[in-house]
Structures are given as C-alpha cells and as structure tokens.
C-alpha cells in the first residue's frame, strides 16, 4: 500500500547500506508491479542488475539490464545500461560481445544532450581495453585517442596517453608509439611519465640493436 516513490526509496536505501538481498526483493517486486513511472522502473531494474552482477549471477543481471535498456528513454540512460551489460559479458569472459555492447554505448552517449565528457571518456577507455584484450590494437589505439580527447584531469590524460602508446607498440606502429610515450613523458609529472620514459628507452635500445 506504500507509494511507488517510497518503495523505490526504501530499495535504494537498502542497496546503499549493503542490504543487497532485501534491496533485490524490493526492486524485483517494484519492477513487476509498478508500470506508471518508466524512470523509476529503469532505476529499480538497473540497480537490481548491478547487484546481480556483483554477485556474479550473470543471467539474472543480463535480464534486468536488458529490460531496463528496452524501456529507457534517453540516450544517456541507454549508454549507461549498455556499459553495465558489457560488464556482465566481461564477467562471463565474452570480451567480443562486451566490445560490441561498448561500441553501442559510446554511440548512445555521444548522441546524448549536454556535455557528458567524463562518461564518454570512460566509455571510450573501456572500449579500448576490450579491443586490446581481443588484440585489435589499432582499434584500441583509436578508442584511447578518442578517450584522451574527452579526458578532463591531467592524471587521466597521462593514463590514457600511456595506454595509447602501449596499443601502438603492440600493434607494431613504433613511430606512433614513441610519439604517444614522448607526449606523456614530457607533459605530465606522474608515474605514467616515468613509465612512458622507460618505454621510450626500451624502444630506442631495440632500434639501436636492430641497426647494429
């Protein structure tokens, strides 16, 4: 007999206080019975999906997140849900499907209204990591480059710059790898700068040995 908003609020409070099983019961009942508010249903389903994901119950997580995606109205919501669905497939070690979902996620986020630079940068980084696991290093480099374009903090830029150089190196595009590593080494004062300089030294040594 409680209002839909109160029921959802109780579920969220349980979720955020670590009462996962109680939160799941409320979210699942809410999603089945409350049809009047799409936004609240999406919230309940996405939170249930995230809890199931944390419990490694991938089939249930996938079902909740797919339903939330199907009824979500905004590009940003759909993008966030696709990222969570990609996490499910990563948990199942199906990186190929995860990468396909991340491709769809970045397209949805790119179409969203407003400036969503942080989430877009994170999404491109996640896409790049998926490509790297699949050994598609040129695609990984392209994704890391786009993530770098939207990155905000200097630490984030240094991290992405190193990932970009690493992808080029593994893809055997050595000049582009050195360019990326040099940018990190010269522009940022961080552990990434020191690691980038080490990579540059290694690449220079390898080229010197090859020429000798």
């Amino acid at each position: 007999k409680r209002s839909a908003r109160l029921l959802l609020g109780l579920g969220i409070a349980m979720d955020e206080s670590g009462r996962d099983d109680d939160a799941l019961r409320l979210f699942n009942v809410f999603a089945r019975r409350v049809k009047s508010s799409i936004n609240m249903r999406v919230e309940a389903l996405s939170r249930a999906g995230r809890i199931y994901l944390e419990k490694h119950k991938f089939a249930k997580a996938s079902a909740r997140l797919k339903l939330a995606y199907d009824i979500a109205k905004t590009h940003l919501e759909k993008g966030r849900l696709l990222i969570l669905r990609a996490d499910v497939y990563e948990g199942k070690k199906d990186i190929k499907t995860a990468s396909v979902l991340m491709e769809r996620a970045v397209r949805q986020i790119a179409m969203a209204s407003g400036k969503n630079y942080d989430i877009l940068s994170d999404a491109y980084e996640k896409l790049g990591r998926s490509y790297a696991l699949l050994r598609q290093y040129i695609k990984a480099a392209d994704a890391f480059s786009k993530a770098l374009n939207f990155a905000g903090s200097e630490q984030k830029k240094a991290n992405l710059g190193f990932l970009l150089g690493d992808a080029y190196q593994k893809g055997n595009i050595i000049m582009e790898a050195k360019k990326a590593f040099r940018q990190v080494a010269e522009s940022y004062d961080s552990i990434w700068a020191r690691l980038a300089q080490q990579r540059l030294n290694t690449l220079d040594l390898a080229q010197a040995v090859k020429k000798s």
Side-chain angles (χ1 to χ4, degrees):
K1 295 181 180 180
R2 296 186 177 97
S3 71
R5 191 170 298 280
L6 177 57
L7 282 174
L8 181 61
L10 285 171
I12 292 172
M14 290 173 179
D15 181 13
E16 295 180 352
S17 61
R19 294 171 59 185
D20 290 348
D21 292 335
D22 292 331
L24 277 174
R25 279 192 286 271
L26 262 177
F27 290 143
N28 286 331
V29 169
F30 185 95
R32 284 197 305 270
R33 295 184 180 178
V34 177
K35 309 292 185 182
S36 57
S37 173
I38 291 176
N39 289 338
M40 287 194 289
R41 281 193 80 204
V42 169
E43 178 79 5
L45 287 164
S46 63
R47 283 181 175 268
R50 188 181 289 109
I51 293 172
Y52 281 129
L53 174 59
E54 291 169 357
K55 291 176 175 289
H56 291 183
K57 295 182 177 180
F58 300 124
K60 289 184 176 181
S62 185
R64 300 308 186 280
L65 295 170
K66 176 64 165 60
L67 182 54
Y69 175 84
D70 287 343
I71 64 175
K73 294 297 184 182
T74 70
H75 292 299
L76 189 59
E77 280 181 330
K78 287 182 177 292
R80 290 181 185 277
L81 288 162
L82 285 166
I83 292 172
L84 285 173
R85 290 178 64 196
D87 288 340
V88 171
Y89 283 92
E90 281 189 14
K92 295 165 64 176
K93 309 301 181 186
D94 184 352
I95 306 302
K96 184 174 182 179
T97 302
S99 70
V100 171
L101 289 168
M102 283 308 305
E103 289 169 356
R104 292 171 57 192
V106 295
R107 287 198 294 270
Q108 288 288 343
I109 296 165
M111 290 189 292
S113 59
K115 297 179 179 180
N116 304 294
Y117 295 153
D118 286 343
I119 186 173
L120 193 55
S121 180
D122 289 344
Y124 271 119
E125 179 184 352
K126 190 173 179 64
L127 177 60
R129 290 181 183 275
S130 295
Y131 285 144
L133 287 172
L134 293 169
R135 299 184 179 181
Q136 297 177 1
Y137 298 120
I138 307 308
K139 283 187 173 183
D142 181 63
F144 291 138
S145 179
K146 289 175 180 174
L148 187 57
N149 289 336
F150 293 106
S153 71
E154 295 299 292
Q155 181 68 18
K156 181 77 169 177
K157 289 178 181 178
N159 180 11
L160 288 165
F162 185 87
L163 289 172
L164 176 60
D166 185 62
Y168 277 130
Q169 184 180 358
K170 289 176 178 175
N172 202 34
I173 305 179
I174 303 303
M175 294 306 296
E176 289 298 324
K178 292 177 72 172
K179 180 180 176 181
F181 286 137
R182 192 174 294 112
Q183 177 71 23
V184 175
E186 294 175 353
S187 302
Y188 307 106
D189 181 18
S190 70
I191 187 172
W192 295 113
R194 293 190 291 276
L195 290 172
Q197 187 60 56
Q198 289 174 9
R199 287 292 187 94
L200 280 170
N201 295 341
T202 300
L203 288 170
D204 288 339
L205 179 60
Q207 286 186 320
V209 170
K210 189 175 181 180
K211 290 178 180 178
S212 63

